[in-house]
């Protein structure tokens, strides 16, 4: 049987996780620069959130689901900015062609 105290702490942790990534997401969209953010980090973070979310669904742990979804949204929005909105390349078009 789940304890109410444990569930309360789970939701508090989910809220902290959401606010943990929020400054980075806002910073990326404000400065429009993602060169210092590793693509590998973003991909591993998305993979981690996806597997944690799957686990949370299997064990029916709603606070863990909320936490995983919030981090997944934050990581995905940073990835979207890095790969689509503000992509950087080591090479210019002229160097490639």
């Amino acid at each position: 049987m789940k304890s109410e105290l444990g569930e309360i702490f789970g939701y508090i942790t989910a809220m902290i996780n959401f606010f943990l990534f929020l400054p980075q997401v806002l910073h990326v969209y404000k400065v429009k620069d993602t060169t210092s953010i590793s693509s590998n980090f973003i991909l591993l973070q998305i993979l981690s959130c996806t597997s944690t979310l799957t686990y949370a669904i299997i064990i029916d742990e709603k606070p863990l689901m909320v936490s995983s979804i919030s981090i997944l949204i934050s990581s995905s929005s940073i990835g979207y900015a890095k790969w689509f909105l503000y992509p950087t390349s080591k090479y210019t078009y002229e160097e490639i062609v």
Side-chain angles (χ1 to χ4, degrees), residues 24-79:
Q24 185 65 48
V25 173
L26 295 176
H27 178 74
V28 163
Y29 283 89
K30 181 180 178 183
V31 300
K32 297 176 172 60
D33 180 28
T34 59
T35 54
S36 64
I37 301 172
S38 167
S39 288
N40 290 336
F41 169 77
I42 297 169
L43 289 170
L44 288 172
Q45 188 67 40
I46 290 171
L47 178 64
S48 172
C49 290
T50 304
S51 63
T52 303
L53 179 60
T54 303
Y55 173 67
I57 291 169
I58 290 169
I59 65 171
D60 193 33
E61 193 64 41
K62 288 179 182 38
L64 192 55
M65 289 180 210
V66 171
S67 180
S68 297
I69 290 169
S70 70
I71 297 172
L72 184 59
I73 290 170
S74 297
S75 298
S76 297
S77 64
I78 292 173

Side-chain angles (χ1 to χ4, degrees), residues 2-18:
K2 296 178 186 177
S3 77
E4 283 186 41
L5 184 60
E7 200 158 316
I8 290 169
F9 275 108
Y11 284 114
I12 290 171
T13 302
M15 192 168 49
I16 291 169
N17 282 336
F18 173 75

